[in-house]
Amino acid sequence: MSTSRRSFIKQSALASTLLFVPDFLRGFGASASAAANGTGLTGRRAANGRRLVVIQLGGGNDGLNTVVPFTNDLYYQARPTLALPVRTVLPLTADLGLNPALSALRPFYDRGQFAIFNNVGYPNPDRSHFRAMDIWHSAAEAEQVLATGWLGRWLDATCAGSPHPTAAIELDDTLSLALKGANFKGLAASNPDRLRQALRAPLLQQLRTAAPTAPAPDSDLNYLYRTLIETQDAAEYLTEKLGAARRTPPPTDYPKTAFGQHLHTIAGLINADTDTRVYYAALAGFDTHARQAGVQDGLLKQFADGTAALLADLARAGTLADTLVLVFSEFGRRVAQNASNGTDHGTANNVFILGSALKVAGIRGELPNLADLDGGDLRHRLDFRQLYATVLRDWLGADDKLILGRNFERVPLV
């Protein structure tokens, strides 16, 4: 057999084997390939050392039963069985209070570390879960479709010239659009240690050492091979960092759920001074069309207990001052309850931002106006991209206009 034929067979076998590599490897995308030619995994932090944690409440959380207008008669009229009784609400102001399931976060509000933005949305809102989430992930207009996410474009702007493959991590096995850029992407891994174990499989180790014969630099084979190597290195790096951080027990217990453990992992990586600047986690199940009260209360408690544990963990380690937590859902619910003791898809909602670096905290924006609805839905008063612009420029030090495509008025925050 000729040398060229043997080379062809070898490359074809390697390429066909790599086709079976799980999606979370290929989801690593161009950032891994670029990092192979760049600085690699150095543990280097960005100049300002700040981190952003994004928490997505998937399904459309009901904002009115989360931050409750407990003195508004229209709220009780619209929700005769679903409205929270006044006696159960945790009052924040004379007019608004927290769902009692969020009691773990109340101390952070009292300390000025919790900002609640009311009536957040965008013009011409979409009530489809998938489309609404795409809009929030991409920061697009309602009639615009973008293939990149707002944090993916931040990666494109930040990593050019000095790529490092762990700049953004999603605690999941599938990468969200939010972290996908044109040239760089985040790394999706629900558990860095399990990812490392999977990548230590004998077949993948053989692929790493059995380099194909001089593939073209811009070939698919070269891309897949570099992706494999960089993902393996990233998993080793993250697991090593996480192991070092977890030698110190957290100050409070995290919920024994996937979401709670994801936040525990995020805290460990932040406290280990990992080079990651953006972390992304999600808690699903908020599509409460029926029997909402029990379902939403359980999810809100899981969210609040996990987030409070994360904040306490970071405070103990001295890293909370450099960390900002942004919490959103793709839309709120309709003001009136439905016949199944639930609520249907709505529009504007509240957004939470937490951290000890907040200069302006507490209730932000107008109260929800239940007397001036848009076809039964709350009217948005604050464009969610104003919050993105604020986080990008004032927290991450990025060019928000470049990333978002136009200027959005920022809000006082940090």
Side-chain angles (χ1 to χ4, degrees):
M1 182 183 296
S2 69
T3 302
S4 60
R5 180 170 174 77
R6 281 195 299 269
S7 176
F8 173 80
I9 292 174
K10 182 178 180 181
Q11 292 190 30
S12 297
L14 178 60
S16 63
T17 303
L18 282 172
L19 290 175
F20 294 95
V21 173
D23 284 343
F24 59 72
L25 295 187
R26 289 197 294 274
F28 196 13
S31 56
S33 178
N37 293 316
T39 57
L41 298 166
T42 63
R44 182 189 66 254
R45 295 178 66 187
N48 65 11
R50 290 174 173 175
R51 273 89 172 211
L52 172 67
V53 178
V54 179
I55 297 176
Q56 170 184 309
L57 305 180
N61 177 46
D62 177 26
L64 283 177
N65 273 23
T66 300
V67 182
V68 186
F70 64 93
T71 61
N72 193 323
D73 290 340
L74 295 177
Y75 166 70
Y76 291 96
Q77 292 171 19
R79 300 182 170 200
T81 63
L82 194 58
L84 272 67
V86 174
R87 68 181 183 278
T88 68
V89 176
L90 304 176
L92 301 177
T93 68
D95 300 299
L96 290 177
L98 286 178
N99 185 308
L102 298 175
S103 60
L105 293 178
R106 175 62 185 271
F108 298 95
Y109 182 91
D110 294 339
R111 290 197 289 266
Q113 299 177 352
F114 187 176
I116 299 172
F117 289 87
N118 292 320
N119 310 307
V120 182
Y122 54 92
N124 304 312
D126 197 297
R127 291 172 178 80
S128 160
H129 288 294
F130 302 105
R131 180 61 191 142
M133 192 62 78
D134 279 353
I135 290 170
W136 277 82
H137 281 185
S138 65
E141 303 289 346
E143 66 281 358
Q144 180 186 30
V145 176
L146 297 178
T148 58
W150 72 286
L151 292 169
R153 297 194 296 276
W154 168 80
L155 283 170
D156 285 342
T158 302
C159 293
S162 58
H164 46 110
T166 52
I169 297 175
E170 179 165 4
L171 275 295
D172 202 325
D173 290 328
T174 303
L175 191 67
S176 298
L177 172 61
L179 276 73
K180 294 179 180 178
N183 300 305
F184 296 92
K185 294 177 174 63
L187 170 66
S190 60
N191 185 308
D193 187 56
R194 284 207 304 266
L195 175 61
R196 180 185 66 166
Q197 293 174 9
L199 292 168
R200 283 183 170 181
L203 175 60
L204 294 181
Q205 289 297 314
Q206 291 171 18
L207 289 174
R208 176 169 185 147
T209 57
T213 304
D218 58 350
S219 68
D220 289 343
L221 185 56
N222 184 69
Y223 164 75
L224 290 171
Y225 186 71
R226 288 186 183 278
T227 298
L228 173 62
I229 290 176
E230 289 299 328
T231 307
Q232 288 176 323
D233 289 346
E236 294 287 345
Y237 168 76
L238 294 174
T239 303
E240 177 185 350
K241 286 284 191 178
L242 196 56
R246 287 189 172 170
R247 295 190 187 106
T248 302
T252 56
D253 289 334
Y254 286 83
K256 306 302 182 184
T257 60
F259 176 73
Q261 294 312 297
H262 288 166
L263 295 188
H264 188 196
T265 296
I266 289 172
L269 293 173
I270 290 174
N271 292 339
D273 199 27
T274 310
D275 63 8
T276 306
R277 294 193 66 197
V278 171
Y279 296 88
Y280 202 97
L283 177 62
F286 286 92
D287 194 19
T288 50
H289 289 281
R291 299 182 297 278
Q292 174 177 304
V295 174
Q296 188 196 26
D297 290 351
L299 289 169
L300 288 178
K301 179 172 175 52
Q302 186 183 155
F303 154 70
D305 290 354
T307 303
L310 168 73
L311 296 172
D313 204 346
L314 299 181
R316 171 194 58 79
T319 54
L320 182 57
D322 293 330
T323 305
L324 202 66
V325 180
L326 184 153
V327 185
F328 80 98
S329 195
E330 68 263 38
F331 45 61
R333 316 295 292 189
R334 293 181 70 78
V335 172
Q337 71 177 69
N338 61 27
S340 301
N341 285 321
T343 51
D344 298 322
H345 299 179
T347 55
N349 206 353
N350 37 54
V351 169
F352 298 159
I353 297 184
L354 302 103
S356 63
L358 297 181
K359 293 181 179 178
V360 184
I363 302 297
R364 306 289 300 275
E366 305 172 22
L367 296 178
N369 189 340
L370 304 187
D372 180 24
L373 302 180
D374 182 9
D377 291 316
L378 295 174
R379 297 181 185 275
H380 92 276
R381 305 296 183 186
L382 179 69
D383 194 303
F384 74 97
R385 291 162 295 188
Q386 292 180 246
L387 297 178
Y388 284 3
T390 303
V391 169
L392 286 167
R393 180 173 290 275
D394 298 341
W395 184 251
L396 295 176
D399 185 340
D400 57 302
K401 181 180 179 181
L402 173 68
I403 293 167
L404 299 178
R406 66 181 179 91
N407 278 322
F408 288 93
E409 182 181 359
R410 305 197 307 280
V411 299
L413 185 63
V414 291

